Amino acid sequence: MKKVTKIGVLTSGGDSPGMNACVRAVVRTGLYHGMEVFGIMRGYSGMVENDIFKMESRSVANIIQRGGTVLKTSRCKEFMTPEGRLKAYNNLKKHGINGLVIIGGDGSFRGAQIFSNEHDIPCVGLPGTIDKDIAGTDFTIGFDTAVNTAVSAIDKIRDTADAHDRLFIIEVMGRDAGYIALHSGIATGAEHILIPEKKTDIEDIVLQLAEKERRKKLMNIIVVAEGDDFGGGDEVARFIRARLPQQEVRVSILGHIQRGGSPSCFDRLIASRMGYSAVECLLQGRHNVFVGIVNNRMHYMPLNEAVKKKQRISEEWMKIVKILAS
Ligand code: F6P
């Protein structure tokens, strides 16, 4: 096994708060070990287009507290083709890069896995996504910040919902994953939480709301993940308005506000630990691996396993939602 001496780092897929803290940790740990570190711009696009530059310790100064990603990000179509990946490989070779750290979501890891099978560049994947839908880690970089953004927005909406006795339907992010909805919904005392992982029984929700209407409980919060099987906030509102015309229904779509902002302390910490561990993995010959944190300890899983598994929603949590919202 060849020793890794020059590493490339990139951020890919949807950005998440804490990606910068992670890039910083990769760069500084690499330099500490005497490696050369290269930043790759716009995810795999920068690899394909040779948008690659050498990073020094100062390149990552003053970024630990910033949201977004200084390396920028993208979802690169060309990298999905063997020709695109070959171009990317040749560009890495031009710089002598012989190890890669990929910070992103499951789509990014699928790309890394195919790439590492085709070409002799060891890859380490780190979970950077607000969605928290990745197996092999209790948390992903950015989730804590995003969910806290959602919580503070929902708290504000609750004030006005209460003042007017209104039903609010709040759509949070999560095209395929309900973690932001589940965590923020529980934390704000939402009456209903709709997530893609569980079939939504909209008729049952209408029945429950009608029963509350009889008790004059008109202020209710429904948190819905954008990818719920029934639909997003607008679809849920349309259905309820048709069935319960006396209810004052309002919709609030939180959207990309959840992706931005300064990362929480927790996200900065896990990002720093993961970035550090990724470099240690490359040095120790632990290649093509996904690095997460489970029970507060570093956890390693082969990349090809990580791309197959999904984090599962806990049944107990669903039970808690039902009991506490009644
Ligand atoms: O990064 C994850 C995510 O924020 C999902 O929750 C959301 O559905 C998606 O990205 C939105 O992607 P885009 O910014 O490309 O519209």
Side-chain angles (χ1 to χ4, degrees):
M1 195 181 292
K2 270 187 265 157
K3 194 167 172 246
V4 176
T5 50
K6 297 188 184 193
I7 56 175
V9 56
L10 61 91
T11 49
S12 167
D15 63 311
S16 65
M19 278 183 161
N20 280 328
C22 193
V23 170
R24 172 180 177 271
V26 171
V27 172
R28 294 212 168 151
T29 308
L31 295 174
Y32 169 82
H33 285 295
M35 297 165 129
E36 282 181 53
V37 186
F38 294 83
I40 300 169
M41 295 302 291
R42 294 171 292 108
Y44 294 121
S45 303
M47 253 161 79
V48 173
E49 293 160 24
N50 196 19
D51 196 353
I52 299 172
F53 67 104
K54 196 143 177 242
M55 296 184 89
E56 306 299 342
S57 187
R58 293 203 48 193
S59 323
V60 289
N62 201 23
I63 65 167
I64 195 167
Q65 78 285 13
R66 284 169 57 191
T69 159
V70 289
L71 294 180
K72 300 197 181 279
T73 185
S74 69
R75 298 185 173 104
C76 176
K77 290 228 167 71
E78 206 178 342
F79 194 72
M80 292 177 188
T81 66
E83 297 76 30
R85 290 190 292 274
L86 181 62
K87 249 179 164 179
Y89 174 74
N90 288 332
N91 287 331
L92 293 183
K93 283 282 146 194
K94 277 182 206 157
H95 298 274
I97 295 171
N98 52 12
L100 265 186
V101 179
I102 297 108
I103 308 162
D106 52 356
S108 313
F109 301 148
R110 267 190 290 279
Q113 201 235 330
I114 300 170
F115 183 71
S116 63
N117 283 344
E118 287 173 353
H119 304 288
D120 61 339
I121 306 247
C123 296
V124 177
L126 301 179
T129 166
I130 63 164
D131 286 346
K132 202 179 95 73
D133 56 344
I134 296 177
T137 189
D138 290 341
F139 291 97
T140 57
I141 299 163
F143 173 74
D144 183 64
T145 309
V147 86
N148 275 297
T149 300
V151 163
S152 69
I154 299 169
D155 282 348
K156 292 185 172 98
I157 291 170
R158 182 177 274 280
D159 290 343
T160 172
D162 183 52
H164 286 264
D165 273 334
R166 281 175 171 162
L167 165 63
F168 259 89
I169 296 153
I170 303 164
E171 183 186 296
V172 297
M173 271 192 155
R175 197 161 33 207
D176 308 303
Y179 290 97
I180 296 180
L182 187 58
H183 287 232
S184 65
I186 293 177
T188 56
E191 276 70 17
H192 299 277
I193 301 171
L194 316 186
I195 56 174
E197 294 87 345
K198 298 276 164 202
K199 182 135 190 51
T200 292
D201 186 347
I202 195 80
E203 294 291 358
D204 183 55
I205 293 171
V206 167
L207 277 179
Q208 292 187 48
L209 290 171
E211 197 275 321
K212 284 179 185 149
E213 202 177 290
R214 278 191 289 279
R215 287 194 273 128
K216 305 247 176 306
K217 184 188 182 316
L218 297 170
M219 196 286 279
N220 288 289
I221 302 279
I222 299 181
V223 176
V224 53
E226 62 175 316
D228 182 64
D229 59 286
F230 183 78
D234 288 327
E235 286 78 25
V236 174
R238 207 171 298 128
F239 192 89
I240 294 176
R241 279 192 185 113
R243 293 300 181 90
L244 302 170
Q246 307 88 291
Q247 297 246 347
E248 269 206 74
V249 181
R250 294 290 185 275
V251 180
S252 184
I253 297 175
L254 301 188
H256 286 78
I257 191 171
Q258 295 157 96
R259 282 243 294 262
S262 179
S264 66
C265 172
F266 184 81
D267 276 332
R268 296 180 202 192
L269 282 176
I270 64 167
S272 302
R273 290 171 69 192
M274 288 174 179
Y276 161 85
S277 295
V279 177
E280 295 288 321
C281 280
L282 287 171
L283 277 172
Q284 293 160 9
R286 205 177 237 169
H287 293 167
N288 304 328
V289 78
F290 165 77
V291 178
I293 295 179
V294 174
N295 295 333
N296 206 22
R297 286 173 183 274
M298 301 320 296
H299 183 264
Y300 309 94
M301 186 191 257
L303 256 185
N304 57 1
E305 255 181 60
V307 298
K308 278 189 229 136
K309 291 191 178 156
K310 276 257 165 207
Q311 200 174 129
R312 305 249 315 250
I313 295 276
S314 146
E315 288 302 327
E316 193 177 23
W317 281 53
M318 295 311 293
K319 198 171 159 195
I320 292 173
V321 172
K322 267 219 161 100
I323 294 173
L324 300 193
S326 57

